[in-house]
Amino acid sequence: MVLDLLRDPDHDGQIRHLYRHNHEAMIWIATWVVLCYKNGEYVGNSHDERLALWCTGNYEDCAVEKRAFLGTSCKQKPQEEWKKEWFIIQSLLAQLSQRMIDRNTAESQRRNTAMALGIPYQKPVEKDDPDEVLSAQWVVLEDLAAKYPNYVEYVLRYKPDFLVEESA
């Protein structure tokens, strides 16, 4: 589950579903697969038992562990067959973490400004832009491919057509 939804289990459906939630979910699933699956079979992760807390029904525990994971993902060891993919996923996790920091910083600034002005704070409606989310992801992947061409270049053939046309 994505961190926005884990943050407040009592949101009563008030958190609007955004494309970036799907993107984040894909990153968490890919992370789980490379750390816990070998030859298509679940083997768990002997390097970090805290990953099991991602599967708990306790939203708070899961959110705490996922946030902690974002800061320690570089210490994780993927299954041997997923080493190339883990390199890519770590970059996407870093991007995810930075975007969360940026959103939280902007939110705090807006909240503090409203408080300083003595006006009620109203959270703005976040724009849902799938193209922007995908474009940002591909910037990360293309940077990796440029730095490590023999390692992750194969991923570039999966770039969506609309992004290929934009860069041409």
Side-chain angles (χ1 to χ4, degrees):
M1 187 178 283
V2 300
L3 286 171
D4 276 357
L5 301 178
L6 291 171
R7 179 179 57 207
D8 185 5
D10 298 321
H11 59 75
D12 294 327
Q14 298 302 309
I15 295 177
R16 197 169 123 242
H17 180 86
L18 302 169
Y19 183 82
R20 71 174 175 81
H21 293 143
N22 294 345
H23 182 257
E24 181 182 338
M26 185 238 6
I27 294 169
W28 288 118
I29 291 166
T31 300
W32 182 262
V33 168
V34 302
L35 294 176
C36 299
Y37 278 79
K38 183 176 182 176
N39 298 321
E41 297 289 325
Y42 177 77
V43 294
N45 185 300
S46 60
H47 304 292
D48 193 345
E49 296 82 30
R50 295 177 313 154
L51 291 175
L53 291 173
W54 291 12
C55 297
T56 181
N58 184 317
Y59 284 7
E60 290 176 21
D61 288 348
C62 185
V64 165
E65 292 305 326
K66 281 189 172 182
R67 281 191 184 86
F69 182 86
L70 285 174
T72 62
S73 66
C74 61
K75 297 177 183 175
Q76 301 296 321
K77 292 185 176 21
Q79 300 299 325
E80 190 64 33
E81 67 196 83
W82 297 110
K83 283 196 174 195
K84 283 186 178 182
E85 289 75 12
W86 181 233
F87 184 71
I88 295 166
I89 292 166
Q90 282 183 301
S91 297
L92 294 173
L93 285 165
Q95 177 195 45
L96 173 66
S97 180
Q98 187 59 54
R99 289 175 147 237
M100 288 172 51
I101 290 168
D102 292 348
R103 274 194 314 277
N104 290 339
T105 300
E107 171 107 10
S108 291
Q109 289 171 345
R110 287 189 299 267
R111 189 180 306 278
N112 291 342
T113 299
M115 194 177 351
L117 295 172
I119 59 176
Y121 174 72
Q122 186 170 2
K123 187 174 181 175
V125 175
E126 186 176 344
K127 183 174 85 170
D128 190 19
D129 189 350
D131 292 355
E132 189 275 328
V133 172
L134 279 176
S135 294
Q137 171 189 297
W138 281 99
V139 166
V140 170
L141 295 174
E142 287 171 333
D143 285 350
L144 285 174
K147 289 177 188 169
Y148 309 99
N150 296 326
Y151 204 62
V152 297
E153 192 173 69
Y154 74 96
V155 172
L156 297 181
R157 69 176 162 250
Y158 299 106
K159 187 174 184 176
D161 290 340
F162 79 91
L163 290 173
V164 173
E165 293 165 8
E166 285 178 7
S167 61

